[in-house]
Every structure is written in C-alpha cells, then in structure tokens.
Amino acid sequence: MGIIKEIASQYVSLSLFQNPKMGGCFKLKLSYKKLKLILIVILIALVGTIFYVTVSNINNNKATSSKKIVTKAKPKKKVKSDKKKLQTIRKFKGSNIVYNDKTIPTLMYHSIADGQVANSAVVPVGVFKQQMQYLKDNGYTTLSLDELYEFIQNNKPVPGKSVVITFDDGYTDNYTNAFPIIKEMGFRGNIFVIPSLTDKPGPYLNSKQLKEMDGNGISIESHTVNHEKLGELTAEKQLETLTKSKQMLEAILNKKIKYIAYPFGSYNSFTVEEAKKAGYTMAFTTNDGWAGKNTDLLLLNRVFVNSLKGMDQFTERLNNPNYK
C-alpha cells in the first residue's frame, strides 16, 4: 500500500478516452481512498477469476477421466493341454478293437526302486522301464480306469492290445521313478493311495505330488484310510474307512473318487455292499487273472508283476489270460 499512498498524494491523472476532434482528453483526478477501493475490487475480481478457472479445470479433468473408454483385453484362446486330453475317455475305432466279451490284463505294481531288492513287490526302475518299453514297442494301449469301466460296464470297445497299469500304496518312488517313464512313453496309469500317510514322514507321496500326477497320466484313487484289511472288519468299520478315504482324497484332489483297491486283496461278504454304499463303482482285488465282466465290478482281478521273475513271465501274463 506504500506505493499507492505515494501516487495518491500527488493525484493521479487517468485518461478515460481520447478524441482528436475535441483536441484533447478528459482527465479524472482520483484520491487515495478511491484508488484503493478500485484496486481492491480489481484484486478480488482477479482472485475470483483464478479460483473459477482452477475449479473448472479440475471438474473438466474429472469428467474427462470418467468418460475414458476402458478397452478390455481380448480373451486368450484356450489351448488344449495334455492334462485335459489325458482325462478324457477316448473313442477307439478300427478293425483291431474288442468288446467286453474279452478281458483286459490289469498290471499290479507297488514300489519302483532304484536298486535290486529281494522283494517280489519291489521292481527295479531299470526292469520297469524295460517292461514299459515292451508295451510301447508291441503296440499296447494303456487304459485309464474310466476307460476300463466303460469297457466292462457299457461295452465301449478298446484296442485288442489294451492293458491297465496300477500301483498300490502310493510310494514316493512312484513319483520319482515310475511317473517320468510313464510320461515319456505317453502312457496312462493309476495309483491307489493311503490318505492317512499323505504329507507324513515316510516313503509316501505328498499332496503336491498327488496333484501333479492326477490328470497328467496318473489317476489317484483310494486304498482305504489306514491300509486296513477289510476282510477282518465289520460292515460298519468297512463303510467308515471306505467313505473317509474317499472324502480325504476328494478334498486333496478336488475330484470325485470312484475306484478302490482292497489292501492285501482282503475282503469279505460285506465288502461289495459297503463299497457301493460309499460310492465306489469299481474295485480291485489281488486275485490272479485278467479283468472283465466275468467277475463283479467291485471284485476285479489283477496281474501281479513279480520282480523276482524275468521278462518271460511278464510277457506271458500280459499275453495269455490263462497264465499260470
């Protein structure tokens, strides 16, 4: 305000307009008070204008951003994975197919070990690979349990050279030794697991391994909760372990469990009925022979692969339904 006072003290001449015809201009002398008032009004108007412009810009920006068009990314095309393919039930055609008046060899393995062990149920990994290579070289088709069920129950045809591969108990070496070979050959297999031993210390599969294998060539199914001998249990106790093992595996794998192998091949007069109540549609014993409609679907035979015998016995049991 010091400058305003200095100017006002000497009066200020303000030209309103100039008109050459009138030979001069009109002048207005303003006092300090009047000048101060005018400047205050101008200052207020200026501040108001700046405020108005700022608010308008903010509102315009908001409106503009709200009208922005969001472009949705185009959904990627779903690629058919091997996993989905391995879960499907295939339709077999051609001249070399058979119907359910025939039987199918269902191989029964347990452990696939790194070295030679004097145990008929423990197959060395080298021997297992030799056996799988024999299947590959001789044109065998490995069936899933779903495909075996459809063959027996609904007479869906399968190739004449068909075989089912099963493992009992769910040892870790099924994952480390058998699984890579089965994947390499492009085969399908099935493991009957004891869920109470899953994720526990010991030589058994964990949940992560089960999930990886299931649907990727190796289907995971039930082997009771604690590997019980069903033939020694009451009907009530059988139903309990059959139902609970099914539920435990379904919780891990997020799929329906439909098949079971009886531990030790043990069963009694209650077993078939209790297995049906628990929701199983097909079950396996350790009874020697090929699987087919000649026995109850819940009492199917299997072919024991004896690690102490050579390839001659393996090929005979694979090719002759009346093997010794």
Side-chain angles (χ1 to χ4, degrees):
M1 291 296 181
I3 296 175
I4 297 174
K5 286 182 179 180
E6 183 180 348
I7 297 171
S9 64
Q10 300 176 7
Y11 294 101
V12 177
S13 295
L14 182 63
S15 296
L16 298 178
F17 62 89
Q18 291 182 336
N19 191 330
K21 291 183 179 180
M22 297 179 67
C25 64
F26 291 99
K27 293 184 178 180
L28 177 66
K29 292 183 178 180
L30 298 175
S31 67
Y32 167 72
K33 289 183 178 180
K34 290 182 178 180
L35 181 60
K36 180 180 177 182
L37 180 61
I38 292 171
L39 290 175
I40 289 172
V41 171
I42 292 172
L43 183 61
I44 292 171
L46 182 61
V47 172
T49 302
I50 293 171
F51 177 79
Y52 174 79
V53 171
T54 303
V55 172
S56 296
N57 288 337
I58 292 172
N59 290 335
N60 287 337
N61 289 336
K62 287 182 178 179
T64 302
S65 63
S66 66
K67 292 179 181 179
K68 286 182 180 178
I69 299 173
V70 179
T71 304
K72 293 183 179 179
K74 293 181 179 179
K76 294 181 180 179
K77 292 182 178 179
K78 291 183 179 179
V79 179
K80 291 183 178 179
S81 66
D82 290 338
K83 180 176 180 178
K84 185 175 180 180
K85 191 181 293 183
L86 287 167
Q87 289 174 327
T88 59
I89 298 174
R90 295 165 289 184
K91 292 182 179 179
F92 300 106
K93 297 179 180 179
S95 57
N96 186 31
I97 57 173
V98 294
Y99 292 85
N100 68 0
D101 58 327
K102 305 294 183 183
T103 52
I104 301 293
T106 299
L107 304 179
M108 177 177 60
Y109 291 95
H110 289 78
S111 174
I112 308 299
D114 291 311
Q116 187 72 42
V117 180
N119 185 325
S120 61
V122 180
V123 178
V125 64
V127 173
F128 179 74
K129 186 165 186 177
Q130 183 184 11
Q131 293 169 349
M132 296 301 103
Q133 191 63 56
Y134 176 87
L135 297 180
K136 185 79 171 178
D137 293 343
N138 288 275
Y140 279 86
T141 298
T142 55
L143 302 179
S144 68
L145 292 183
D146 285 338
E147 289 170 338
L148 180 65
Y149 176 83
E150 288 296 323
F151 168 73
I152 297 174
Q153 180 66 19
N154 298 318
N155 200 25
K156 296 290 179 66
V158 298
K161 282 188 172 182
S162 289
V163 63
V164 178
I165 302 171
T166 68
F167 301 84
D168 283 8
D169 304 334
Y171 293 107
T172 302
D173 59 33
N174 292 176
Y175 176 81
T176 56
N177 294 335
F179 184 37
I181 295 171
I182 287 175
K183 283 199 299 184
E184 179 187 345
M185 301 293 178
F187 288 167
R188 301 185 179 195
N190 313 274
I191 302 176
F192 297 106
V193 173
I194 307 163
S196 67
L197 300 178
T198 301
D199 297 323
K200 299 291 175 60
Y204 296 96
L205 296 163
N206 59 43
S207 296
K208 184 178 179 181
Q209 292 166 334
L210 294 181
K211 290 176 183 177
E212 182 182 348
M213 288 190 289
D214 188 68
N216 283 286
I218 306 286
S219 179
I220 306 301
E221 301 296 337
S222 175
H223 204 40
T224 74
V225 175
N226 296 302
H227 205 244
E228 296 96 331
K229 289 185 177 180
L230 296 175
E232 298 178 2
L233 300 181
T234 64
E236 182 181 5
K237 288 295 183 181
Q238 287 190 51
L239 181 60
E240 181 182 333
T241 189
L242 291 168
T243 302
K244 189 174 180 181
S245 63
K246 186 175 187 293
Q247 292 171 343
M248 291 171 74
L249 288 173
E250 287 175 344
I252 294 171
L253 299 168
N254 192 30
K255 74 165 192 177
K256 186 176 181 181
I257 299 295
K258 298 178 286 186
Y259 312 121
I260 187 169
Y262 305 136
F264 307 102
S266 175
Y267 61 93
N268 59 26
S269 58
F270 304 125
T271 306
V272 169
E273 188 59 33
E274 301 312 311
K276 287 179 182 177
K277 289 179 185 177
Y280 296 100
T281 55
M282 191 165 65
F284 296 85
T285 68
T286 58
N287 297 338
D288 270 337
W290 288 16
K293 66 176 183 178
N294 55 328
T295 60
D296 193 302
L297 260 176
L298 291 162
L299 293 172
L300 293 176
N301 301 327
R302 283 190 290 175
V303 177
F304 175 57
V305 180
N306 190 331
S307 69
L308 303 180
K309 304 295 181 179
M311 282 295 292
D312 288 344
Q313 187 191 75
F314 177 79
T315 57
E316 180 195 0
R317 293 189 169 198
L318 190 63
N319 292 285
N320 180 12
N322 300 311
Y323 68 85
K324 295 180 180 179

